[in-house]
């Protein structure tokens, strides 16, 4: 098991290579989260867009000269790939990253721009991992694990040292958890320096592997559902990480997809921060009061911001739907002059912003003399949506949700 000295040494070796990321106080999020004083540790502003570069760089500088010359191999579909590629570029060593064939083109391109040789293999991460391990043996290269490695964990733990320097009176820290490298390093650094600080891990409810492992007292695999927090959707935590979490972490909590989506949208709107789902879970746990404390100095680690450009609009739309800011309605109306105007006037009087209107005269549910109106509305919240439904119903319309 690593020690605090390993993390302190990693910090010294990384100076000038990785950023000391900002710790930003948010009055808005403090008010929402039961008047805790909420600070955001912005690892989404780290080089390569996530904390991953800390661990990968520390792993590589721990290699011998002979090992460096043979290069490194890693498997990843996202942030770890870019962290390893960037670190390899800084050290001037060969780097091969195996990514699944379905990996986002933006992430493949970014990894190649850092100088890595990208190999697309298989359709899942497990396929890519198996092939990466084969390549490692063929090439005699060093495999850089995404989380289950002492040097990687020590590198991630430097985030904890920075938090203590930036906010000495911190009382609690919320950390995203996937394989456990980030929280393992942070928890060790924090607890060894100040055991009174609480450290909580946050997982997506769709893949609660670390939480279930703690219940069963050993690392276990769990079934995983699709999640916006794909960066932490690790079905089985690392053994090194599990031991650190069991020793140092106060609790693991979970957030659902609605909470993640709304938090991503809030970060974009209020703080102008583009944050990936896995990076938003820590703040979501505070905004939805998953922890039982108030008026504490709390840090939410925003672990990454690498969101695929094509996914941004869907994130915004999903977040708006989940928060009651966007709604789709359909209704059958009489096909007569003035009926459309009557519907639109009713909605406008309720201060809903009409985004689009579509009128059909033919369909399986549309009888002669009637038409179907489909509306996309920008609304204020769920109560506003219900008010619109109620007024339209009172005016004689049958309102249905549209897909």
């Amino acid at each position: 098991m690593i020690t605090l000295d390993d993390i302190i040494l990693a910090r010294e070796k990384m100076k000038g290579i990785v950023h000391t990321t900002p710790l930003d106080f948010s009055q808005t999020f403090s008010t929402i989260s039961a008047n805790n004083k909420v600070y955001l540790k912005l690892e989404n502003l780290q080089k390569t867009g996530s904390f991953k570069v800390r661990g990968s760089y520390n792993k590589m500088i721990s290699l011998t000269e002979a090992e460096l010359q043979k290069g490194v191999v890693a498997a990843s579909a996202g942030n770890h790939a870019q962290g390893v590629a960037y670190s390899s570029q800084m050290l001037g060593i060969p780097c091969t990253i195996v990514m699944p064939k379905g990996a986002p083109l933006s992430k493949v391109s970014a990894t190649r721009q850092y100088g890595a040789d990208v190999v697309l293999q298989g359709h899942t991460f497990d396929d890519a991992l198996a092939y990466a391990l084969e390549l490692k043996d063929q090439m005699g290269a060093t495999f850089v694990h995404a989380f289950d490695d002492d040097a990687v964990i020590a590198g991630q733990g430097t985030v904890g040292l920075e938090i203590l320097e930036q906010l000495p009176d911190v009382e609690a820290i919320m950390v995203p958890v996937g394989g456990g490298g980030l929280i393992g390093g942070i928890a060790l650094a924090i607890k060894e320096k100040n055991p009174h600080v609480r450290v909580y891990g946050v997982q997506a409810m769709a893949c609660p592997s670390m939480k279930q492992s703690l219940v069963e007292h050993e690392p276990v695999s769990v079934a995983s559902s699709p999640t916006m927090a794909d960066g932490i959707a690790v079905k089985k935590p690392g053994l090194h990480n599990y031991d650190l979490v069991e020793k140092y972490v106060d609790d693991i909590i979970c957030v659902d997809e609605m909470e993640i989506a709304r938090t991503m949208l809030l970060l974009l709107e209020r703080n102008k921060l583009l944050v990936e789902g896995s990076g938003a879970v820590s703040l979501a746990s505070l905004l939805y009061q998953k922890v039982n404390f108030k008026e504490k100095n709390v840090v939410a680690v925003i672990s990454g911001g690498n969101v695929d450009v094509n996914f941004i609009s869907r994130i915004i739309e999903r977040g708006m739907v989940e928060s009651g800011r966007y709604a789709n309605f359909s209704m059958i109306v009489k096909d007569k002059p003035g009926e459309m105007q009557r519907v639109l006037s009713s909605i406008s009087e309720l201060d809903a912003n009409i985004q689009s209107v579509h009128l059909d005269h033919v369909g399986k549910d549309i009888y002669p003399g009637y038409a179907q109106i489909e509306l996309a509305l920008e609304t204020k919240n769920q109560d506003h949506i219900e008010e619109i439904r109620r007024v339209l119903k009172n005016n004689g319309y049958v309102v249905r949700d549209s897909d």
Side-chain angles (χ1 to χ4, degrees):
M1 186 178 289
I2 66 170
T3 66
L4 177 61
D5 288 340
D6 294 322
I7 298 174
I8 293 172
L9 180 60
R11 177 88 186 280
E12 291 300 315
K13 290 180 178 179
M14 281 188 221
K15 285 184 177 177
I17 301 298
V18 303
H19 295 313
T20 298
T21 52
L23 187 68
D24 183 44
F25 174 72
S26 172
Q27 184 61 60
T28 297
F29 297 141
S30 296
T31 302
I32 297 173
S33 64
N35 290 316
N36 289 298
K37 294 181 179 178
V38 175
Y39 296 80
L40 307 179
K41 180 60 173 169
L42 299 178
E43 282 296 294
N44 59 309
L45 302 182
Q46 183 57 263
K47 290 181 179 179
T48 74
S50 88
F51 72 95
K52 287 288 189 179
V53 67
R54 295 176 183 263
S56 57
Y57 186 80
N58 192 54
K59 171 65 176 178
M60 288 184 224
I61 59 177
S62 70
L63 301 178
T64 66
E65 189 62 36
E67 288 172 327
L68 287 172
Q69 289 179 1
K70 292 180 180 179
V72 296
V73 173
S76 172
N79 292 337
H80 181 57
Q82 295 174 63
V84 172
Y86 175 82
S87 300
S88 299
Q89 186 181 65
M90 291 296 98
L91 295 169
I93 64 173
C95 172
T96 301
I97 306 292
V98 183
M99 305 178 79
K101 291 179 181 179
L105 293 177
S106 61
K107 294 185 178 181
V108 174
S109 176
T111 304
R112 284 179 171 146
Q113 286 174 6
Y114 288 124
D117 178 18
V118 176
V119 177
L120 300 178
Q121 179 70 30
H123 298 286
T124 67
F125 171 75
D126 289 337
D127 294 338
L129 175 60
Y131 189 68
L133 292 174
E134 289 180 19
L135 283 181
K136 184 245 328 177
D137 293 335
Q138 294 171 15
M139 300 165 62
T142 299
F143 182 73
V144 182
H145 200 285
F147 50 84
D148 201 8
D149 181 281
D150 282 346
V152 170
I153 297 168
Q156 321 300 29
T158 60
V159 176
L161 296 181
E162 290 179 15
I163 291 172
L164 287 174
E165 292 172 1
Q166 294 167 320
L167 188 66
D169 57 349
V170 60
E171 295 174 273
I173 302 175
M174 318 304 295
V175 187
V177 181
L182 180 62
I183 194 170
I186 288 178
L188 188 154
I190 295 293
K191 293 289 191 176
E192 288 294 324
K193 278 187 161 288
N194 185 350
H196 300 294
V197 179
R198 301 180 192 176
V199 179
Y200 296 91
V202 188
Q203 294 199 290
M205 203 171 287
C207 190
S209 56
M210 186 67 80
K211 186 173 182 66
Q212 186 60 35
S213 294
L214 290 174
V215 170
E216 300 191 27
H217 305 292
E218 64 177 345
V220 296
S221 295
V222 299
S224 178
S225 303
T227 173
M228 282 177 284
D230 58 334
I232 57 171
V234 177
K235 294 181 180 180
K236 184 178 181 180
L239 180 60
H240 296 76
N241 317 112
Y242 172 81
D243 291 339
L244 290 168
V245 169
E246 186 177 49
K247 181 176 181 180
Y248 291 111
V249 174
D250 291 278
D251 198 7
I252 302 291
I253 54 185
C254 295
V255 293
D256 63 31
E257 296 303 295
M258 176 195 72
E259 293 159 346
I260 296 170
R262 290 183 180 179
T263 302
M264 292 172 73
L265 185 61
L266 276 172
L267 280 161
L268 192 59
E269 278 192 319
R270 303 295 179 87
N271 287 54
K272 308 302 180 278
L273 292 171
L274 183 60
V275 175
E276 61 194 75
S278 55
V281 296
S282 55
L283 179 60
S285 70
L286 293 173
L287 300 186
Y288 290 92
Q289 300 177 20
K290 303 290 183 175
V291 282
N292 187 28
F293 50 72
K294 297 180 180 180
E295 299 180 354
K296 301 290 186 182
N297 290 327
V298 187
V299 172
V301 177
I302 308 299
S303 58
N306 290 321
V307 184
D308 188 81
V309 173
N310 295 324
F311 195 54
I312 293 173
S313 62
R314 281 178 278 171
I315 290 169
I316 294 172
E317 183 175 326
R318 173 67 181 268
M320 290 183 71
V321 170
E322 295 287 3
S323 61
R325 301 273 303 282
Y326 188 85
N328 288 301
F329 292 146
S330 71
M331 64 190 78
I332 303 296
V333 300
K334 292 180 179 179
D335 187 15
K336 64 179 184 179
E339 194 66 21
M340 172 76 82
Q341 183 60 42
R342 184 175 172 231
V343 171
L344 299 183
S345 295
S346 297
I347 292 171
S348 296
E349 288 171 3
L350 294 169
D351 293 327
N353 187 23
I354 300 170
Q355 298 285 301
S356 67
V357 180
H358 182 75
L359 182 68
D360 279 321
H361 291 88
V362 178
K364 66 176 184 178
D365 296 325
I366 305 172
Y367 296 99
Y370 288 82
Q372 179 174 275
I373 300 175
E374 293 187 357
L375 297 163
L377 308 177
E378 186 178 351
T379 51
K380 298 174 183 178
N381 50 42
Q382 291 292 349
D383 289 340
H384 191 205
I385 293 173
E386 290 306 315
E387 182 185 9
I388 294 169
R389 291 181 200 272
R390 185 170 57 255
V391 169
L392 291 173
K393 181 179 179 180
N394 290 341
N395 288 344
Y397 302 110
V398 177
V399 181
R400 300 173 182 172
D401 290 330
S402 298
D403 293 331

